[in-house]
Amino acid sequence: MTAPEIQKPLLDVRGLTIEIETRRGPAVIVDGINLTVGKGETVGVVGESGCGKSLTMLSLVRLLPNKIKVKGGTAEFAGRDLLRMSKSELRQVRGGKIGFVFQDPMTSLNPVMRIGDQLCEPLIYHRSMNKAEARTRAIELLRLVGIPGPEQRITAYPHELSGGMRQRVMIAMGLACDPELLIADEPTTALDVTIQAQIVDLVKDLRKKLNMSVVWITHDLALIAGLVDRVAVLYAGTVVEDAPVGELFARPTHPYTRGLLASIPKLSDERASRLSSIGGTPPEPGRRPKGCPFAPRCALAEAVCHERVPALEPVVGSNGHRVACFVAQRQMMEAA
Amino acid sequence: MAAEPLIKVENLVKHFVVRLGAFGERGATVYAVDDVNFDIFAGETLSLVGESGCGKSTTGFTLLNLQKATSGKVIFQGENIVSLDEKRMRPYRRELQIVFQDPYSTLNPRMTIGEVVGEPILFHKLATKAELPERVSRLLGDVGLPARFAQRYPHELSGGQRQRVAIARALACQPKFIVCDEAISALDVSVQAQIINLLLDLQEKYGLTYLFIAHDLAVVRHISDRVGVMYLGRLAELATREQLFSNPLHPYTKALLSAVPEADPELEKTRQRQILVGDVPSPLSPPAGCRFHTRCPIAMDKCRAVVPEWREVVTGHHVACHAVDMGTAG
Amino acid sequence: MTITPVNLSSSVADDEPPVSLWRDAWHRLVRNKLAVAGLAVVVLLAFVAVFGPWLTPYDFLTQDLNARNQAPSLAHLFGTDDLGRDVFSRVVYGTRTAFVVAIVVTTIAVAIGVTLGAMAGFFGGLFDRTVMWFTDMTMSVPNLLLVVVINASLKTPITAWMEARYQATLNPFYRETIWVDFLLVFGSMALISWPPYARLVRAQVLSIRGRPYVTAARALGLTNRLILMRYIVPNAIGPLIVSVSAGLGTAMVLESAFSFLGVGVNPPTPSWGNMISDGLRVWQHYPHLLAAPAAVLGLATVAFSFLGDGLNDALNPRGSK
């Protein structure tokens, strides 16, 4: 299901580096991330808190918080560099060509505005619709995301809706202008599991209907197993592994990915058997160790791992599977 | 499994009254826990699962008498502990402990780790002042932390480390029973497994009994002996791990299990999901009859009117559903 | 038994010494230049207030009718007023007035506010609602109006009573009307100053009481007294310190404002407020009479404000967990 190699990807991020200003001076929190999203492709970006997955996506539409700045790299979207385009061009992209869905629908929706008005705003701005057209489209969108009685709900305020319903409204807002790319940042983390299943189902259904690309940011590997085409695993601001979803789960190559997968309890596990776990904790953002950021927690780490940062290299004999690990790369060379 | 339970929960009810209106003149009742019955056996891990607002955490708090039960009994060592006032409860407090979800607010930020862990030891006179440093470092060792952490303050530790300290504090009382209230939910994936392993190790070492409150079914399936499923303040189903995961009887349990994603793309492709429609109704005005009937795919007229009876359909497998007859279990 | 190896949290190096939140806050405070400047000015003013009488070359009441309305000079740093009194000495004594009023008023207000607020937050229920109703009522009365009413209604009877006592006992203490002034100022200002402290402390206690670490302490069986002393008070005190620092500044401004309007400290006792009031009448001819007390009042206000902001940033850092 990977996009054909010849076709240019819709989103092509290269060498993206983000720094945060601290009292001790600038610190790198995202270090040279490469990420591509093909047309119609769904990519999962997986990582733990503080790994830079959300900042990477926010930087694309230049919505980084104060004190956090992009220091290098490019991010081409449909052939144009998002990081260097003018403010007015960018506004056309934000909410127009790229839709966003955030984790917490309660704080991402304006509590004093009716949801209908919040939905109509981007339509009037980006699509130059008049009020009546926007209203019709808003009702259509609410129906599309499975909100019952959209004609009535359009006048509701966010607090009058349940968490699942609010997340549906967020998705409707993300979809308002038929974006080519939908970026969903942990959209189900705040929701219960039965509601999460509803939202996952909805997005699967919508991306087919609307033929859009999706980036799904999450910390939950199990969640994306049945949802995405490709997975990029982030650790401390770098992509450590990038592979088609089946390949990643069948042949995880980076020690971190392996550790993560092994630490998820499985159906076949015996009760109360010890899970294999990764020792230690991820580094705080801006306190990345020298060399491979995972080296201090890695059971396989060698001297070189603490010295130099491994590059993301293709896995031998695979199709689109890349890994950034000296040990794994050497083992592959030896095996070949 | 011992025949006599360590803790017996009988008809436990917890209602909150929320005040509405400018002068708090109108009251509304939240039916947080409604007529819940279960036993906890020594040395086992019993999990309570369910979605937010189902009353699983309130059950844990009420069971420990941290919130006053509206009615019902919790029998521990022959005493109904939920009827005791704080003073008479104190000797039981030492044996019944709790670990919370949020590692950032579970420790008093003004106390060092050593003070946090040492306080219950001194308070319950489990050691003298002279023995204390040795006790504290042994407890820290038990939870996998070096003894030098005793001088540290909570804000200097990572989330997983703070959760270890919270576990050490609970252990300091030498308890028989620990409620783990979403104790691993707020941790990073790679740290969760560490804490799960730690809890399992400690259970083995000290013969602890856990009431494990969680919403992550994969974790629950991994560590539990028995699992109870709650929905809107009531128990829907309670069974051994094997019974519940291989032969769920209640339609809500079935839907819940089917909603859990598995970390296996091949399996996910072919899996039949049963997706529930709608949201959980408000616990302020729970539906009459079976509380699940508004979302239940097989609801009948009877479900809308009559509260289903809590019964044991096969040994150890309890369920509250009109649609389950004795024959379906087996 | 398997123990997973654990590194220290990556946010703290192993050889760094443990840092308590108090010390951490102190480090943050001294790094804040404005706060340090504010603290320095406050300490200087406090020193002046305490040792003022020994520092000034003249008595603040001594009149020198030959040297009236003199411009600032080496002999009279801030010049002299219309009665030939040394303005510098009067400003120094005014600092004393301001500090005495601010400290006494804030102490009374904090004592009332903390007691009522903490009890309201801890016990809740009817007591809480009654206290809060009382607090809201007090806050809804305009400050100035209340002080004027108290002055108008109480000053005459108290002065008359003091005079009567003097006639009866001939004790010279009862001739010192300055005590009436101070009593009224303390009383009326404390009355309007305690509600914010009560509200703050109540909110603090309510929020801390619900934190997991307090529940954990209850689960350990600790007594209410221990929970209050070791868990609630140490965690509630940070915002209170910030509030008291700001409150001291506010009390000084209030005292000046009331003295300016003639309902506070009355002449001849110097107060920045009544000096400004006097200076305002002649400022076109003798600007130094207005400038000196106004500048010191301004300096004090700004200093307390900077210190309060600095304390707030130091004690309640946002975003850090």
Side-chain angles (χ1 to χ4, degrees), chain B residues 90-258:
Chain B
R90 199 156 291 142
Y92 298 102
R93 288 254 177 259
R94 190 182 69 70
E95 310 204 50
L96 309 169
Q97 278 303 305
I98 184 163
V99 177
F100 297 95
Q101 170 173 13
D102 180 8
Y104 294 101
S105 54
T106 194
L107 306 174
N108 184 351
R110 308 282 172 192
M111 282 162 81
T112 63
I113 303 309
E115 286 167 352
V116 167
V117 178
E119 187 173 48
I121 299 176
L122 287 182
F123 184 81
H124 290 290
K125 303 198 171 59
L126 299 171
T128 61
K129 263 215 161 105
E131 295 164 345
L132 193 66
E134 209 265 302
R135 277 290 182 96
V136 168
S137 57
R138 205 166 60 210
L139 280 163
L140 290 178
D142 272 352
V143 297
L145 294 175
R148 60 176 196 278
F149 270 40
Q151 271 73 51
R152 297 272 165 197
Y153 285 89
H155 66 104
E156 301 177 289
L157 271 57
S158 70
Q161 289 168 343
R162 286 180 224 201
Q163 211 59 335
R164 286 172 191 266
V165 174
I167 294 170
R169 172 180 59 194
L171 280 182
C173 297
Q174 304 168 356
K176 288 199 168 69
F177 172 73
I178 300 181
V179 173
C180 302
D181 184 17
E182 302 268 12
I184 57 156
S185 309
L187 303 173
D188 271 325
V189 188
S190 70
V191 181
Q192 275 192 3
Q194 296 172 7
I195 302 294
I196 292 171
N197 287 348
L198 175 66
L199 287 171
L200 290 170
D201 287 342
L202 293 170
Q203 181 167 44
E204 216 172 276
K205 187 171 177 185
Y206 294 111
L208 296 168
T209 306
Y210 292 140
L211 178 67
F212 196 85
I213 296 164
H215 63 264
D216 185 339
L217 280 156
V219 171
V220 164
R221 184 179 60 203
H222 185 80
I223 70 158
S224 313
D225 294 292
R226 295 189 303 140
V227 182
V229 179
M230 286 187 79
Y231 187 80
L232 265 182
R234 295 225 181 104
L235 268 172
E237 188 163 1
L238 175 72
T240 65
R241 168 188 190 253
E242 289 74 22
Q243 285 168 334
L244 193 96
F245 285 94
S246 56
N247 184 26
L249 296 178
H250 199 285
Y252 176 63
T253 313
K254 289 179 187 168
L256 200 62
L257 295 183
S258 120

Side-chain angles (χ1 to χ4, degrees), chain C residues 34-45:
Chain C
L34 284 180
V36 172
L39 182 65
V41 172
V42 168
V43 169
L44 178 75
L45 287 174

Side-chain angles (χ1 to χ4, degrees), chain C residues 222-274:
Chain C
L222 302 189
T223 56
N224 273 345
R225 201 180 61 85
L226 263 178
I227 292 173
L228 200 64
M229 295 315 293
R230 299 198 64 170
Y231 289 77
I232 293 178
V233 169
N235 286 294
I237 214 159
L240 187 66
I241 290 175
V242 174
S243 180
V244 165
S245 158
L248 284 169
T250 313
M252 285 188 185
V253 174
L254 265 183
E255 181 270 312
S256 293
F258 292 150
S259 302
F260 176 84
L261 294 167
V263 291
V265 178
N266 284 326
T269 313
S271 147
W272 297 335
N274 61 37

Side-chain angles (χ1 to χ4, degrees), chain C residues 198-209:
Chain C
R199 281 191 167 184
L200 175 84
V201 169
R202 172 178 175 271
Q204 281 292 312
V205 170
L206 277 182
S207 108
I208 293 166
R209 209 178 56 161

Side-chain angles (χ1 to χ4, degrees), chain B residues 294-305:
Chain B
T294 54
R295 298 171 79 198
C296 183
I298 55 166
M300 309 172 287
D301 285 344
K302 192 183 180 189
C303 305
R304 288 178 255 277

Side-chain angles (χ1 to χ4, degrees), chain A residues 224-253:
Chain A
I224 56 163
L227 173 70
V228 303
D229 304 317
R230 207 153 50 78
V231 183
V233 181
L234 260 67
Y235 186 80
T238 54
V239 176
V240 294
E241 189 159 5
D242 180 349
V245 67
E247 173 84 10
L248 187 92
F249 282 87
R251 276 174 296 281
T253 306

Side-chain angles (χ1 to χ4, degrees), chain A residues 55 57-66 90 94 100 102:
Chain A
L55 287 178
M57 291 304 146
L58 282 178
S59 73
L60 299 182
V61 282
R62 309 225 295 256
L63 286 174
L64 287 175
N66 278 343
L90 190 68
R94 274 187 206 159
F100 257 95
F102 295 101

